[in-house]
Amino acid sequence: VVFTVFAIGDLLVYPVTDTMRLAAYDTILQYRLFPPKADPDIVILDIDEASLAAMAREYGRWPWPRQVFGEFLDLIGKQKPKAVVFDILFSDPDLFNPGSDAAFNTAIAAASATFFPLLRLDPSNDSLSQVKASMIPGARRDTRGSRSASGPSSLDQAASQGAHGGDPTVAVVLPHLPAALHSKRLGLHNIDTDPDGVVREYSIFRNEQSWILPSLPTRVGWEFNWPVPDSPRVLLNWRGPPRTYQYIRFSDVFQDLLRKERRRPAAEFAGKILIIGSTAPSLFDFKPTPMSQVHPGVEILATAIDNIKHDDFLRFPKADVPYFLLALVIIWLTAWRLYRATNPLILDWWFGLSQAFLVGCSYASVNVGTVYINLTCPISLALGYFGVARTYAALTGKALDPSM
């Protein structure tokens, strides 16, 4: 009865087993037998410490002049990559070299598919902002019942229905590049953590008073008509530990593009999705994830893009009531067997096998599919009850044994 009341409290009042659920999820992902493979067409051009050092002599330390990225776009465009995604926020003008900004802006205008991040600030700053939701390039009105997960078409239809309704101010930091704003290929690159500070989920979009602000992976998905989830947040299907994706040093690629006689393949990045970001410790773009305490932010972005492209985010069915009922069945069935004085060895085997089966179901769910069946609650409650009841039974037996 005590454990039943505890289970009801866990279900309705305060989810005590949430901490165990997160720990179990992290452990299962770390020891998966068949993790999905990283998409070979997603390539990370890494601005690491070696790149910063290699480019410092000619361009100085970070941040580099914007013309570096302008030249890169001009030259890499000849290889016809599928997309170039910047995980760098170009929020301020280059006051010392305005011509560099102009060169980068011209290159963006000429490029076919470049994507840029925007940063959502704390909503408490919304009252200080002068940016209306309708002013954010790529933002779309959310009309209930007309939005689907299949792509931007229904959102475009919703956005074209007029400017009726509110137009709230939103605290965001936009790129300071007119061509990037004009392209409307912008998306949020905020990475939110769970209450314990670990990144497990990714924001697909934010709903700001009936205005949709897509994330950067969502904006890429819309561009190529990939199946974008309809949920605001999804559980990431990690491909593995850091460095699972193909990393290439940005300085190596850039310097080779400037050579008359190139050493790298002429069509190395044809059809690839290039993500330009940094793993340099001095730029502090790392987050704790189930796979590592120092996971590069650019690889988290790559994972989200990969998940959208292959539509294999981990689904997490909300089945709190069935799990609660399963916990009660195991607890009361164990209690009944104890009451009927079942042979302790048989009871131990029965209970152990039942828990091993539940653990196996959770483990198998993320190895053979994309639906995570979380049985942590019934397993935790059943183990807790069995431990208390079995210890009590053993101590009672000793106390009543006349030979003791």
Side-chain angles (χ1 to χ4, degrees):
V1 171
V2 168
F3 271 84
T4 299
V5 172
F6 180 82
I8 294 173
D10 181 77
L11 175 68
L12 301 177
V13 182
Y14 184 78
V16 179
T17 57
D18 264 8
T19 301
M20 291 177 278
R21 175 181 64 83
L22 296 177
Y25 168 76
D26 294 350
T27 303
I28 287 174
L29 284 190
Q30 289 174 10
Y31 295 100
R32 276 200 293 187
L33 294 176
F34 310 108
K37 301 295 183 182
D39 192 320
D41 289 335
I42 296 177
V43 179
I44 296 174
L45 297 185
D46 185 13
I47 302 174
D48 57 358
E49 288 293 347
S51 284
L52 296 178
M55 306 273 285
R57 180 175 299 179
E58 186 172 356
Y59 301 103
R61 292 292 290 178
W62 185 263
W64 299 325
R66 305 276 170 80
Q67 70 186 48
V68 170
F69 298 107
E71 288 183 72
F72 172 81
L73 283 180
D74 287 337
L75 296 170
I76 205 70
K78 297 175 182 178
Q79 297 190 26
K80 299 189 181 304
K82 188 178 185 69
V84 178
V85 182
F86 285 92
D87 191 27
I88 304 169
L89 186 63
F90 300 100
S91 58
D92 300 302
D94 189 341
L95 298 178
F96 300 101
N97 192 358
S100 182
D101 272 358
F104 189 25
N105 190 71
T106 301
I108 295 170
S112 58
T114 53
F115 298 83
F116 292 86
L118 57 88
L119 179 66
R120 177 66 166 107
L121 301 178
D122 191 290
S124 62
N125 297 311
D126 286 352
S127 60
L128 306 175
S129 175
Q130 297 181 0
V131 179
K132 296 284 189 180
S134 59
M135 297 165 58
I136 300 174
R140 292 169 171 141
R141 186 178 294 281
D142 180 18
T143 303
R144 291 187 181 274
S146 66
R147 179 166 54 85
S148 70
S150 59
S153 57
S154 59
L155 287 175
D156 286 333
Q157 182 181 1
S160 67
Q161 291 178 357
H164 65 279
D167 190 6
T169 56
V170 183
V172 294
V173 179
L174 299 168
H176 186 78
L177 296 160
L181 299 174
H182 181 73
S183 73
K184 297 185 179 181
R185 289 190 290 267
L186 306 180
L188 300 169
H189 75 153
N190 299 65
I191 297 178
D192 301 320
T193 63
D194 286 340
D196 61 351
V198 179
V199 176
R200 297 182 182 89
E201 298 182 324
Y202 202 92
S203 292
I204 294 298
F205 63 85
R206 289 178 183 246
N207 190 316
E208 305 291 348
Q209 301 183 41
S210 296
W211 282 87
I212 292 295
L213 298 185
S215 68
L216 195 52
T218 298
R219 187 62 190 84
V220 176
W222 284 352
E223 186 76 11
F224 301 116
N225 294 315
W226 295 341
V228 177
D230 200 36
S231 174
R233 293 177 62 82
V234 291
L235 208 55
L236 285 171
N237 193 356
W238 302 95
R239 281 16 184 174
R243 300 278 172 176
T244 297
Y245 287 87
Q246 182 183 4
Y247 277 76
I248 301 178
R249 191 166 289 154
F250 180 87
S251 60
D252 291 347
V253 176
F254 181 69
Q255 291 172 347
D256 188 75
L257 289 172
L258 296 177
R259 291 191 183 101
K260 291 183 178 180
E261 296 183 4
R262 295 177 183 172
R263 302 171 186 173
R264 307 184 70 91
E268 182 179 9
F269 302 113
K272 304 287 187 181
I273 297 173
L274 305 181
I275 304 177
I276 303 176
S278 175
T279 64
S282 59
L283 300 183
F284 308 108
D285 188 17
F286 295 92
K287 300 284 185 182
T289 70
M291 312 308 297
S292 172
Q293 287 298 309
V294 283
H295 212 117
V298 65
E299 190 159 353
I300 298 175
L301 173 63
T303 303
I305 292 175
D306 198 351
N307 283 191
I308 287 182
K309 180 180 179 182
H310 297 281
D311 191 25
D312 63 353
F313 284 103
L314 289 178
R315 275 67 175 177
F316 179 61
K318 296 294 184 181
D320 293 339
V321 173
Y323 294 156
F324 163 76
L325 296 176
L326 178 60
L328 293 192
V329 168
I330 297 174
I331 288 173
W332 282 96
L333 187 56
T334 305
W336 175 250
R337 287 182 172 273
L338 282 167
Y339 177 73
R340 295 296 301 270
T342 302
N343 185 317
L345 183 60
I346 296 176
L347 179 62
D348 291 346
W349 272 100
W350 172 83
F351 186 84
L353 290 175
S354 68
Q355 298 309 291
F357 174 75
L358 296 181
V359 171
C361 288
S362 290
Y363 184 69
S365 66
V366 294
N367 274 278
V368 299
T370 59
V371 177
Y372 173 49
I373 301 175
N374 170 37
L375 297 173
T376 308
C377 174
I379 292 173
S380 302
L381 293 174
L383 284 173
Y385 171 73
F386 182 77
V388 171
R390 196 72 181 82
T391 302
Y392 173 79
L395 294 176
T396 301
K398 288 185 177 181
L400 296 179
D401 190 339
S403 65
M404 295 298 292

